[in-house]
C-alpha cells in the first residue's frame, strides 16, 4: 500500500457543524497548545524557555541544558541515561514532576526499550519522552515498555538529512496515522509527538487530525526573531539579539543560523574528539515573524480547522477528523 504525506491529504469538513463561534473551541491541554519545541540549540535555550512557556508552548531543551521543575523537558543521550540509571535514586530524576527526553536519532535499538523499562521502574512519577522512531511497531514496543511520549519521524526535519543519505524513513502522514491506530489498541499508549518537516500551519494541523497528540516544531520557531539562533544581517554580519530585534523592527533583513543536531558543529560543541558522518544541515533562515504573532495565527487556524470538523476539544479532533487523500493536481489547485 502506498504511504502518504501531509501534501497528499485534506481534512474533510463535517457534514454539519454545531459550532457557531471559534470562541466555543478549546485548543489547549491544561492551558498549553499541542506544541513542543524541538530540542535544537538554534531554537531554544534556557534564557528563551520562559518565552515559549508564556506563549503556551511546551519547552524541550537541547542536550547540555538541563532544567529541574515545571513542564520543561531536559534532553539526555542514551549513554547519559544509562549512566544515570546505574546511579539509582539520582536526585536529578527523583522529583515527582520531572520531564525528560532520551534524545536518540535511532530509537529502534533494543537498548532503548530496556532503558525505558528500567527508568520507569526507578522513577515512575517522571514523564519520559523517547525517539525518534519511524516504525509503527516500534511505537507499540516503546509504549508497552512504559514511555510516556514517543517522537515519530526520521529524516523529515529541516535540519536532518538522514533519509536523503541513507534511504531510511517513513512518510509522516502514514506514520502518524498508523501509530495512532496502534495506540487505540493499547491499554496505556504513549503520547504521539509528530517530529520533523512541518513547513506551515496546515502541516501541524493535519498531523493532529491524523492522530498526533503533540507536534514538535523546530524550523518554524527558528524563523521567529526571539529564537536563540545566532543573528546575522544580510547573512554575513553577526549581531547580538538586541541589535537583531531593532533591525527587524525597521525591516532590515535579519537571518538566523539553523542547524541540525547531528552536524559536526554540534558534535564539536559537545566536546567530541572523533566526529561521525553528519546527517544534519546548516542554513541561514530569514526572520519572518515574531513568536507571539506566529502563535496567535496558529491558535486561530487550529480553532478554525476544529470548527469545520465539529470538534470543540482536542480530544474530539485528534485522530477523529475525516481525512481524504488527494491528487497532485488537487494539491496544486490550492497551493499558493
Amino acid at each position: 500500500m502506498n504511504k502518504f504525506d501531509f501534501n497528499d491529504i485534506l481534512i474533510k469538513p463535517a457534514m454539519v457543524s454545531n459550532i457557531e463561534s471559534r470562541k466555543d473551541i478549546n485548543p489547549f491541554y491544561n492551558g498549553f497548545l499541542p506544541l513542543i519545541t524541538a530540542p535544537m540549540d538554534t531554537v531554544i535555550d534556557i534564557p528563551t524557555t520562559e518565552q515559549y512557556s508564556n506563549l503556551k508552548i511546551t519547552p524541550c531543551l537541547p542536550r547540555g541544558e538541563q532544567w529541574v521543575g515545571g513542564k520543561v523537558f531536559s534532553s539526555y543521550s542514551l549513554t547519559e541515561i544509562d549512566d544515570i540509571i546505574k546511579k539509582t535514586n539520582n536526585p536529578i530524576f527523583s522529583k515527582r514532576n520531572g520531564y525528560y527526553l532520551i534524545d536518540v536519532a535511532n530509537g529502534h535499538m533494543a537498548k532503548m526499550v530496556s532503558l525505558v523499562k528500567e527508568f520507569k521502574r526507578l522513577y515512575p512519577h517522571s514523564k519520559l519522552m523517547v525517539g525518534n522512531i519511524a516504525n509503527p511497531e516500534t511505537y507499540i514496543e516503546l509504549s508497552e515498555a512504559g514511555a510516556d511520549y514517543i517522537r515519530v519521524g526520521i529524516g523529515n526535519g529541516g535540519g536532518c538529512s538522514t533519509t536523503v543519505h541513507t534511504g531510511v524513513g517513513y512518510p509522516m502522514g502514514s506514520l502518524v496515522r498508523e501509530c495512532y491506530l496502534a495506540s487505540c489498541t493499547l491499554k496505556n499508549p504513549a503520547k504521539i509527538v509528530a517530529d520533523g518537516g512541518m513547513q506551515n500551519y496546515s502541516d501541524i494541523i493535519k498531523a493532529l487530525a491524523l492522530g498526533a497528540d503533540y507536534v514538535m516544531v523546530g524550523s518554524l520557531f527558528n524563523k521567529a526573531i526571539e529564537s536563540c539562533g545566532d543573528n546575522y544581517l544580510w547573512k554575513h554580519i553577526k549581531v547580538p539579539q538586541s541589535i537583531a530585534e531593532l533591525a527587524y523592527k525597521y525591516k532590515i533583513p535579519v537571518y538566523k543560523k539553523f542547524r541540525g543536531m547531528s552536524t559536526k558543529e554540534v558534535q564539536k560543541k559537545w566536546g567530541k574528539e572523533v566526529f561521525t558522518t553528519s546527517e544534519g544541515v546548516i542554513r541561514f533562515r530569514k526572520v519572518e515573524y515574531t513568536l507571539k504573532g506566529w502563535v496567535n495565527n496558529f491558535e486561530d487556524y487550529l480553532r478554525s480547522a476544529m470548527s469545520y470538523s465539529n470538534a470543540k476539544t482536542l480530544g474530539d479532533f485528534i485522530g477523529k477528523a475525516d481525512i481524504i487523500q488527494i491528487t497532485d493536481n488537487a494539491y496544486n489547485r490550492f497551493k499558493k
Side-chain angles (χ1 to χ4, degrees):
M1 180 185 295
N2 289 335
K3 305 298 180 182
F4 62 87
D5 215 320
F6 299 131
N7 290 348
D8 301 317
I9 62 168
L10 288 175
I11 301 168
K12 181 181 177 181
M15 181 178 68
V16 175
S17 176
N18 297 315
I19 298 171
E20 297 181 4
S21 171
R22 297 180 191 177
K23 294 179 181 179
D24 297 332
I25 293 170
N26 179 11
F28 302 102
Y29 296 121
N30 298 319
F32 273 75
L33 291 163
L35 300 173
I36 302 176
T37 65
M40 305 177 76
D41 65 0
T42 52
V43 172
I44 185 172
D45 56 9
I46 287 178
T48 57
T49 297
E50 189 173 352
Q51 294 183 63
Y52 287 101
S53 291
N54 289 342
L55 289 169
K56 307 165 187 173
I57 300 165
T58 300
C60 183
L61 289 164
R63 282 189 241 166
E65 299 199 36
Q66 278 70 46
W67 183 281
V68 177
K71 191 176 180 180
V72 178
F73 284 94
S74 296
S75 302
Y76 297 85
S77 70
L78 205 65
T79 301
E80 288 170 332
I81 289 290
D82 193 18
D83 289 342
I84 289 166
I85 284 176
K86 290 174 182 175
K87 301 172 183 177
T88 56
N89 297 317
N90 188 300
I92 294 177
F93 293 96
S94 61
K95 300 180 78 69
R96 289 183 62 88
N97 298 319
Y99 290 80
Y100 307 99
L101 164 66
I102 304 180
D103 183 22
V104 181
N106 179 5
H108 307 87
M109 292 181 285
K111 186 173 182 179
M112 172 72 90
V113 177
S114 62
L115 284 180
V116 169
K117 291 178 179 178
E118 185 64 5
F119 183 95
K120 292 299 291 185
R121 184 184 71 81
L122 293 171
Y123 311 107
H125 299 296
S126 290
K127 298 299 183 183
L128 183 63
M129 178 166 24
V130 300
N132 284 44
I133 61 113
N135 186 326
E137 294 178 4
T138 311
Y139 167 80
I140 295 173
E141 189 78 10
L142 288 170
S143 282
E144 292 180 338
D148 299 290
Y149 302 75
I150 298 175
R151 297 162 71 189
V152 305
I154 287 178
N156 302 290
C160 182
S161 60
T162 297
T163 300
V164 72
H165 290 311
T166 68
V168 175
Y170 208 108
M172 279 295 285
S174 289
L175 179 60
V176 171
R177 189 60 176 174
E178 291 173 31
C179 287
Y180 170 75
L181 294 175
S183 75
C184 295
T185 69
L186 301 176
K187 183 178 180 181
N188 294 304
K191 300 292 186 184
I192 298 167
V193 181
D195 177 27
M198 305 300 156
Q199 299 179 8
N200 46 46
Y201 299 110
S202 68
D203 281 354
I204 299 173
I205 293 169
K206 288 176 183 178
L208 295 169
L210 288 165
D213 298 286
Y214 290 88
V215 177
M216 186 166 269
V217 178
S219 174
L220 291 174
F221 288 161
N222 169 261
K223 291 192 289 185
I225 187 64
E226 299 90 345
S227 73
C228 71
D230 290 339
N231 302 286
Y232 294 82
L233 301 182
W234 302 288
K235 297 185 183 181
H236 301 296
I237 305 171
K238 187 176 179 179
V239 296
Q241 182 67 23
S242 58
I243 299 299
E245 291 179 2
L246 187 63
Y248 177 73
K249 179 180 178 180
Y250 288 101
K251 302 187 185 306
I252 298 172
V254 178
Y255 291 82
K256 290 279 188 178
K257 189 174 189 178
F258 179 70
R259 65 185 182 188
M261 295 302 284
S262 70
T263 56
K264 291 183 179 179
E265 269 194 7
V266 174
Q267 294 178 46
K268 183 177 180 180
K269 175 185 174 182
W270 287 343
K272 290 188 176 182
E273 296 182 359
V274 179
F275 300 156
T276 59
T277 300
S278 173
E279 292 182 13
V281 299
I282 300 173
R283 295 192 177 101
F284 290 90
R285 318 287 300 286
K286 186 176 180 180
V287 171
E288 296 183 8
Y289 34 71
T290 64
L291 191 59
K292 182 178 180 180
W294 186 94
V295 171
N296 286 342
N297 284 341
F298 171 73
E299 184 179 328
D300 285 344
Y301 290 137
L302 178 56
R303 287 178 184 271
S304 181
M306 291 172 67
S307 71
Y308 278 113
S309 301
N310 195 31
K312 285 191 175 183
T313 68
L314 288 173
D316 297 330
F317 183 69
I318 288 172
K320 299 179 178 65
D322 196 356
I323 301 297
I324 54 175
Q325 288 191 249
I326 60 174
T327 64
D328 289 342
N329 284 336
Y331 173 73
N332 292 330
R333 174 74 65 175
F334 66 81
K335 181 184 177 183
K336 298 177 177 66

